[in-house]
């Protein structure tokens, strides 16, 4: 299916690995010009190098960076049609998952909200005039934790819930002016955060007395009651993101697409 993205300009945050890298790759395959923003490049991103890709290094928690990022995008490719706010999770120096509520203080909450909410809104504010010029689309990557609170990661879940809420309001305000805003909420996704050496999977595996592969392939899918029996792959999130970014989704606005392997059970 042609998603009508050929020649359109997309800006993807957190574009060097995981979900973001899969989104960048898919947009390029669809013929889009893509600006991938991240703190640093990666082998996976470097492998995509070509005339349709520009990597801009920077920190979204730096309040000056969004202006610079959008300016580089417009300078390189002449405008902006799609914004994918994918960057999220723990900012530098913060370790997730975090335990019970009393384990975190104000600074912990501020850091998570700064990266997962305020940085997104700051970039959206800068990008919106350009999106309005061309009738663009915004896709925010949220989380199933925005739907299903748990007794850990309070600040992350709250920040993602606020992001999903803000997206609904933005869709209502800017949809009539030609900019659609939608959300994708992943469940547990097989990304570097889980799989890297010394990452979360190693931590859980050590605590539970199983090897990492068993944990990822069997133990956690069973514990989380994933009806598909496995973690979500980054490409599956990217497919939903790119479909929502496409003009083929022209009547989809203010929606939240859950891609979670059957994690959420409620209606």
């Amino acid at each position: 299916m042609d998603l009508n993205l050929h020649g359109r300009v997309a800006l993807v945050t957190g574009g060097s690995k995981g979900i973001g890298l899969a989104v960048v790759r898919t947009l390029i395959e669809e013929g889009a010009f893509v600006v991938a923003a991240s703190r640093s490049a990666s082998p996976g991103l470097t492998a995509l190098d070509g005339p349709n890709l520009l990597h801009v290094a920077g920190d979204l928690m730096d309040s000056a960076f969004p202006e610079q990022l959008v300016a580089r995008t417009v300078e390189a490719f002449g405008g902006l049609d799609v914004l994918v706010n994918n960057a999220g999770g723990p900012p530098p120096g913060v370790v997730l998952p975090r335990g019970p509520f009393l384990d975190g203080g104000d600074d912990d909450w501020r850091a998570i909200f700064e990266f997962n909410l305020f940085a997104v809104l700051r970039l959206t504010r800068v990008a919106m005039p350009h999106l309005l010029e061309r009738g663009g689309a915004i896709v925010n990557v949220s989380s199933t934790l925005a739907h299903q609170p748990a007794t850990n990661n309070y600040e992350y879940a709250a920040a993602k819930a606020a992001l999903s809420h803000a997206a609904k309001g933005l869709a209502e305000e800017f949809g009539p002016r030609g900019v659609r805003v939608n959300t994708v909420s992943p469940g547990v996704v097989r990304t570097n955060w889980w799989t890297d050496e010394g990452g979360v999977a190693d931590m859980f595996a050590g605590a539970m007395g199983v090897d990492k592969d068993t944990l990822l392939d069997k133990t956690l899918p069973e514990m989380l009651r994933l009806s598909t029996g496995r973690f979500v792959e980054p490409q599956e999130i990217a497919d939903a993101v790119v479909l929502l970014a496409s003009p083929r989704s022209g009547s989809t606005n203010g929606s939240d697409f859950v891609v979670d392997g059957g994690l959420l059970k409620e209606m």
Side-chain angles (χ1 to χ4, degrees):
M1 180 172 67
D2 182 2
L3 294 180
N4 297 330
L5 287 167
H6 186 84
R8 294 179 185 263
V9 180
L11 169 55
V12 182
T13 65
S16 64
K17 58 185 179 180
I19 293 170
L21 179 61
V23 171
V24 169
R25 183 187 305 112
T26 305
L27 285 166
I28 291 173
E29 289 171 352
E30 291 293 328
F33 296 100
V34 183
V35 175
S38 62
R39 292 187 184 90
S40 60
S42 68
L45 186 62
T46 301
L48 298 176
D49 191 34
N52 280 39
L53 175 64
L54 171 67
H55 174 244
V56 179
D59 184 357
L60 287 165
M61 295 178 73
D62 175 358
S63 61
F65 183 54
E67 195 81 48
Q68 299 165 6
L69 178 57
V70 171
R72 288 285 305 279
T73 301
V74 174
E75 178 186 7
F77 296 125
L80 180 61
D81 300 288
V82 173
L83 172 61
V84 179
N85 286 307
N86 165 73
V94 175
V95 177
L96 291 178
R98 198 191 305 283
F101 173 72
L102 294 178
D103 286 357
D106 287 356
D107 289 343
D108 300 307
W109 281 72
R110 287 191 190 98
I112 292 292
F113 266 73
E114 179 63 33
F115 188 39
N116 291 276
L117 178 63
F118 301 140
V120 173
L121 297 179
R122 192 179 299 124
L123 178 57
T124 299
R125 193 177 298 119
V126 174
M128 187 62 79
H130 299 278
L131 295 168
L132 287 167
E133 285 181 8
R134 296 163 68 130
I138 297 173
V139 184
N140 294 327
V141 178
S142 184
S143 169
T144 50
L145 283 175
H147 298 262
Q148 184 64 61
T151 56
N152 52 36
N153 295 325
Y154 281 94
E155 61 272 61
Y156 177 73
K160 287 298 191 180
L163 176 63
S164 297
H165 189 282
K168 286 278 189 182
L170 290 168
E172 185 70 15
E173 179 177 357
F174 292 101
R177 299 171 63 183
V179 177
R180 297 179 298 106
V181 185
N182 292 289
T183 303
V184 174
S185 291
V188 284
V189 183
R190 191 181 286 266
T191 61
N192 303 74
W193 187 72
W194 285 97
T195 60
D196 277 354
E197 198 71 29
V200 178
D202 282 333
M203 181 181 70
F204 281 169
M208 299 173 71
V210 299
D211 65 84
K212 181 163 71 174
D213 288 340
T214 299
L215 178 89
L216 293 172
D217 296 337
K218 180 176 173 60
T219 307
L220 281 179
E222 289 179 354
M223 286 180 59
L224 296 170
R225 297 171 57 222
L226 301 182
S227 55
T228 60
R230 62 175 178 82
F231 275 35
V232 179
E233 295 296 332
Q235 186 61 53
E236 295 172 307
I237 306 300
D239 290 341
V241 169
V242 174
L243 178 61
L244 288 171
S246 164
R248 298 293 290 265
S249 297
S251 290
T252 305
N253 188 41
S255 294
D256 179 30
F257 278 35
V258 174
V259 185
D260 69 348
L263 173 66
L264 297 179
K265 308 299 183 185
E266 75 276 7
M267 294 293 290

